[in-house]
Amino acid sequence: MDKQTQFRQQVKTVYRFLLVVFAMVGLITVVGIYLIADPSLSAFKKTTPEPEYITTIEEDEDKIENGVHVRTGLIDAEGLMTVVNNCTNCHSSKLVIQNRMNRERWIATIRWMQETQNLWDLGGNEEIIVNYLVTNYPPNKKGRREVLTDIEWYELQD
């Protein structure tokens, strides 16, 4: 065999080898991407099972602890879920908790929300909501803070 034919065979052999290498690299790349996209198929998958969660968010949504609705912080009392379902659709329950008003002011606030904030007609729920708010979030009868008592005063040194 002459040198030119021998050279051609060597080039073909190298060419075939490179094709096999590139095919393997491509296959490994595709498999790697597939395993990254779906790790459950990985041969290196953890053998420890995932922890099982006993409760879900849906189960905890209406949970009451120590007389308080856990998700909203509202006091557990008659009318609670009516308040939750109507009031917390538009604003945080914290807005309800921080405001303490009498019946007239709660009703005026509801009217203001209906006139300016697109609050829907509450129908029969309005009385339930107002009763809940007046009972559980009435105005404070004391000032901004209680009078300080039992304080040990000391004199400042000049």
Side-chain angles (χ1 to χ4, degrees):
M1 176 170 18
D2 65 339
K3 288 188 176 190
Q4 190 174 12
T5 307
Q6 189 178 8
F7 178 74
R8 284 186 183 156
Q9 284 182 340
Q10 288 175 344
V11 168
K12 284 181 184 179
T13 304
V14 169
Y15 178 71
R16 287 182 187 140
F17 174 76
L18 289 176
L19 279 177
V20 169
V21 168
F22 286 131
M24 292 299 292
V25 168
L27 179 63
I28 291 170
T29 303
V30 169
V31 169
I33 290 171
Y34 186 72
L35 292 177
I36 290 170
D38 189 359
S40 66
L41 300 174
S42 174
F44 304 105
K45 184 178 168 186
K46 294 190 309 184
T47 56
T48 56
E50 290 292 322
E52 291 185 28
Y53 297 99
I54 296 170
T55 59
T56 62
I57 292 172
E58 294 83 23
E59 293 170 353
D60 286 342
E61 278 191 5
D62 296 326
K63 188 175 181 181
I64 306 293
E65 283 184 5
N66 300 321
V68 176
H69 186 246
V70 174
R71 181 172 51 94
T72 62
L74 293 168
I75 295 170
D76 180 29
E78 185 176 339
L80 167 67
M81 291 315 295
T82 305
V83 170
V84 169
N85 292 332
N86 285 276
C87 300
T88 62
N89 283 324
C90 299
H91 56 73
S92 167
S93 59
K94 290 180 183 182
L95 190 59
V96 174
I97 294 168
Q98 74 184 11
N99 287 291
R100 296 184 158 272
M101 299 181 259
N102 61 24
R103 177 174 295 281
E104 293 75 29
R105 293 273 299 147
W106 280 117
I107 292 172
T109 302
I110 289 171
R111 294 292 174 269
W112 174 82
M113 287 187 284
Q114 288 172 329
E115 292 168 6
T116 64
Q117 307 300 310
N118 295 323
L119 174 63
W120 53 89
D121 179 20
L122 297 170
N125 287 335
E126 183 174 315
E127 187 66 24
I128 297 168
I129 291 168
V130 171
N131 286 341
Y132 173 87
L133 295 172
V134 168
T135 302
N136 298 290
Y137 300 99
N140 289 334
K141 293 187 177 22
K142 55 189 173 193
R144 293 179 71 72
R145 64 171 172 80
E146 293 184 42
V147 176
L148 300 175
T149 59
D150 300 327
I151 296 175
E152 294 182 31
W153 295 99
Y154 59 92
E155 296 209 15
L156 296 174
Q157 303 294 325
D158 286 333

